[in-house]
Amino acid sequence: MGLGWPSLLLPLLGLLFRIAEAAHPCDVITGSYSNWIGSAINKEVVIVGGGISGLSAMKTLIEEPVTNAVILEAQDYIGGRVKTYREGSILVEDGAEWIHGGPRNPLYKLADSLGMLTQPLADSAYDWRVKTSAGTKASEAGYNVAEDVFYECEKSSVMQNYYNSGVGQCYKDKFGSFYNNGLTVPGEKSAWLHYLNMFVLRDVGLNDWMEESGRDFDQFISYGGEDKLNQWSQGYDALTNYLKNSVPQGKIKLSTPVCKIFWDSDPNGKALVVTSTKEAYLTDYVLVTASIGHLQERHLQLFDPPLPASYQNNLNRLDLGLADKIHLGWSSPWWKKLNPKPLDLQVIFKTFDLPSEESWLYGVMEVMGVHQQLNLLQAFVNGDYAQKMEDLSDADVKRHILKFLGRVTGQTVPEPTFFRRSQWGKNIWVRGSYSSYITVSGDQAGLKSRGPLAKPITNSHGNKVIFWAGEYTNTTRYGTVDGAMGSGTRAARQIISDM
């Protein structure tokens, strides 16, 4: 029987839908410098991106004062990968959540000075369980080994031996000796190694623990006390609001993606910035604070002429990790009716026999209470597992995680009253979550630190016109909010000194 018109049209309609879905908002912007210069608005500084680095840069400029500046933010909110979500009494963080490192972290001091610092709960305050994915009890000794190995490989004296290999090799090597010397269960060894792998992907922000250069890892400076998870008591957007309050009204434009930066076409040596809203800005300086994931994907379309080959090469010597979150809430804590505590559930996989569509759950190694809200649970999903999760519907993700929780706890899990999951990989302005890393191949190709990524670009007039900020440009505190903040301040001071 021949195919009817409906049968022929359905695949075609599906293809057209995928093409429409894949279209980028900036693809509608065409034309050369000469097409846009006539309508250009004059600015001293244009900041591309209203994340923490962009806001910090603007705060620094305003204090000088450099007043003829504007932030152009592609999304409909400021903060970038700091994104607090509220629904009724529920507060969750889609992105950055903790202030790591205690009082040495400038964010700790800032939150404390604003009366917004939450101290972490003691370990004894949690309902702590160590289980297999099948619901049986797992050995706590395995958890202790994973934790000890994690901190062992943070030592510079240890990581120096892995400069020519991925950081994962350190974890693998140390895990073998630590596990065999501990009071551990032999039948759980491979399960705890997988757990450690997911632990590292979550906390370091990698897609694959064999990808990050040991040299890059070793350049990160820890402030100490990384296990002390302080938080902003009223949400991380308290930081966003603090920075925003220093910026005069009208200097931040939301939903205004930057689509073209003509950085070497102006006869006076300036740059011309064009947005998807068909606005043009002629400026002395452009400060680019966009995510490294976005830049890797769009730099050939964004910059005219293309960036110098050396900078393009260095951009491609990094990767941006992906870690998503799933949040679930109930009217009461089902895991314990009497005298409940926040749940902290550690999970290992002794077998890998989940149905294919549920295989993303292998990326979940912990389910825990969050933001000191007793009725709320949070799970991280890392790397390729996070990408698989993002490709599923909300309904499927919720169904899978509820089934998983029931199997691991051995309890009946009621339908949640709240569900939310992040999808940072699908976000075209980010394409990842919180931490960049120099890859092993990138290190071997010559990128030994992030310094070259923070170096301004000079045009043919000898003018420094493009400056860079963002966590990926911070050599010692990459992947952190304080690192992004510091990079914005540094770039703004570079611009001020060049004026």
Side-chain angles (χ1 to χ4, degrees):
M1 183 181 294
L3 291 174
W5 278 108
S7 299
L8 290 171
L9 285 173
L10 285 175
L12 178 59
L13 289 172
L15 175 62
L16 291 174
F17 176 78
R18 288 192 296 273
I19 292 172
E21 185 181 41
H24 195 280
C26 283
D27 289 344
V28 299
I29 298 300
T30 59
S32 64
Y33 166 89
S34 59
N35 296 115
W36 296 99
I37 187 61
S39 61
I41 302 167
N42 284 292
K43 295 289 179 183
E44 285 183 279
V45 183
V46 170
I47 299 175
V48 181
I52 297 302
S53 56
L55 291 168
S56 300
M58 179 63 92
K59 181 177 185 296
T60 304
L61 291 173
I62 293 297
E63 289 168 352
E64 269 310 298
V66 177
T67 58
N68 190 19
V70 66
I71 292 177
L72 304 177
E73 167 55 48
Q75 303 187 86
D76 60 1
Y77 71 97
I78 57 172
R81 284 167 275 173
V82 170
K83 187 177 183 182
T84 305
Y85 178 82
R86 295 175 177 81
E87 186 175 304
S89 62
I90 291 175
L91 184 159
V92 297
E93 306 287 0
D94 286 357
E97 184 165 345
W98 294 293
I99 302 172
H100 293 278
R104 290 182 63 192
N105 190 327
L107 291 180
Y108 181 103
K109 296 177 182 178
L110 177 59
D112 193 27
S113 70
L114 296 174
M116 295 183 181
L117 184 69
T118 295
Q119 296 295 338
L121 297 176
D123 290 344
S124 59
Y126 288 92
D127 180 352
W128 194 74
R129 308 178 190 181
V130 187
K131 306 290 287 290
T132 72
S133 60
T136 59
K137 187 175 180 180
S139 166
E140 294 183 11
Y143 173 85
N144 293 333
V145 167
E147 187 175 50
D148 289 345
V149 172
F150 181 82
Y151 291 115
E152 177 71 10
C153 286
E154 286 195 340
K155 298 176 182 177
S156 180
S157 58
V158 173
M159 190 52 69
Q160 285 178 5
N161 298 317
Y162 296 92
Y163 277 12
N164 295 319
S165 60
V167 298
Q169 194 60 52
C170 178
Y171 296 109
K172 287 182 177 181
D173 290 350
K174 299 302 177 184
F175 177 82
S177 58
F178 277 49
Y179 196 90
N180 293 336
N181 293 331
L183 299 175
T184 49
V185 178
E188 291 181 355
K189 186 174 181 179
S190 61
W192 280 111
L193 181 60
H194 173 78
Y195 174 94
L196 175 61
N197 191 340
M198 296 305 103
F199 192 156
V200 172
L201 297 194
R202 182 195 69 181
D203 279 48
V204 181
L206 309 177
N207 292 323
D208 182 329
W209 67 354
M210 296 303 295
E211 286 185 347
E212 183 179 12
S213 154
R215 189 191 321 273
D216 184 51
F217 183 93
D218 203 27
Q219 290 179 35
F220 183 87
I221 294 178
S222 170
Y223 288 148
E226 295 288 346
D227 57 333
K228 305 301 182 185
L229 302 180
N230 298 99
Q231 293 178 297
W232 291 83
S233 59
Q234 299 176 32
Y236 224 123
D237 60 356
L239 171 62
T240 306
N241 292 331
Y242 165 80
L243 294 171
K244 179 185 176 182
N245 289 340
S246 67
V247 180
Q249 191 171 1
K251 294 189 178 298
I252 301 174
K253 295 179 70 68
L254 300 179
S255 302
T256 309
V258 169
C259 297
K260 280 288 184 184
I261 300 174
F262 298 97
W263 60 277
D264 202 11
S265 300
D266 184 69
N268 296 312
K270 297 189 176 187
L272 183 68
V273 177
V274 181
T275 72
S276 70
T277 54
K278 299 185 178 181
E279 297 167 313
Y281 296 86
L282 187 65
T283 182
D284 298 300
Y285 303 98
V286 181
L287 173 52
V288 179
T289 73
S291 154
I292 180 70
H294 171 65
L295 288 176
Q296 287 175 330
E297 184 175 85
R298 296 290 301 183
H299 69 87
L300 290 176
Q301 294 89 350
L302 179 60
F303 295 96
D304 189 341
L307 292 170
S310 59
Y311 200 91
Q312 290 189 49
N313 290 337
N314 285 332
L315 277 179
N316 292 321
R317 289 167 181 163
L318 278 79
D319 201 355
L320 180 61
L322 178 60
D324 283 316
K325 298 179 186 178
I326 298 171
H327 290 109
L328 298 157
W330 293 267
S331 58
S332 61
W334 52 267
W335 50 92
K336 190 173 183 182
K337 300 298 183 183
L338 299 176
N339 301 317
K341 297 178 178 181
L343 183 63
D344 190 351
L345 184 65
Q346 310 296 316
V347 184
I348 62 171
F349 290 86
K350 296 179 69 173
T351 59
F352 291 82
D353 53 1
L354 291 173
S356 177
E357 68 167 5
E358 297 178 24
S359 62
W360 65 270
L361 289 163
Y362 297 138
V364 177
M365 41 70 63
E366 182 179 42
V367 181
M368 64 182 295
V370 61
H371 240 299
Q372 301 189 16
Q373 297 169 95
L374 185 57
N375 300 341
L376 195 68
L377 293 179
Q378 170 179 275
F380 273 88
V381 193
N382 312 294
D384 290 341
Y385 297 115
Q387 196 62 65
K388 290 180 181 178
M389 183 273 290
E390 290 194 11
D391 290 337
L392 298 172
S393 68
D394 281 357
D396 283 340
V397 172
K398 182 169 72 170
R399 177 169 54 84
H400 294 169
I401 194 70
L402 292 177
K403 180 181 174 183
F404 175 77
L405 281 172
R407 184 170 60 250
V408 173
T409 63
Q411 297 178 249
T412 300
V413 182
E415 185 70 14
T417 55
F418 175 82
F419 171 84
R420 184 173 175 83
R421 52 96 176 245
S422 62
Q423 292 178 287
W424 290 109
K426 285 188 177 296
N427 186 320
I428 62 172
W429 307 113
V430 183
R431 293 304 195 198
S433 54
Y434 62 93
S435 188
S436 61
Y437 52 94
I438 298 176
T439 62
V440 174
S441 61
D443 179 282
Q444 293 172 348
L447 187 63
K448 305 301 183 184
S449 80
R450 292 144 187 272
L453 294 162
K455 186 177 180 181
I457 304 294
T458 302
N459 63 18
S460 59
H461 292 261
N463 297 343
K464 296 176 182 177
V465 288
I466 301 178
F467 290 72
W468 309 95
E471 60 82 20
Y472 78 95
T473 68
N474 193 313
T475 297
T476 60
R477 291 291 294 174
Y478 55 85
T480 67
V481 178
D482 62 277
M485 193 171 179
S487 75
T489 301
R490 180 256 307 149
R493 287 174 177 163
Q494 287 178 319
I495 290 171
I496 291 165
S497 66
D498 194 70
M499 286 180 162

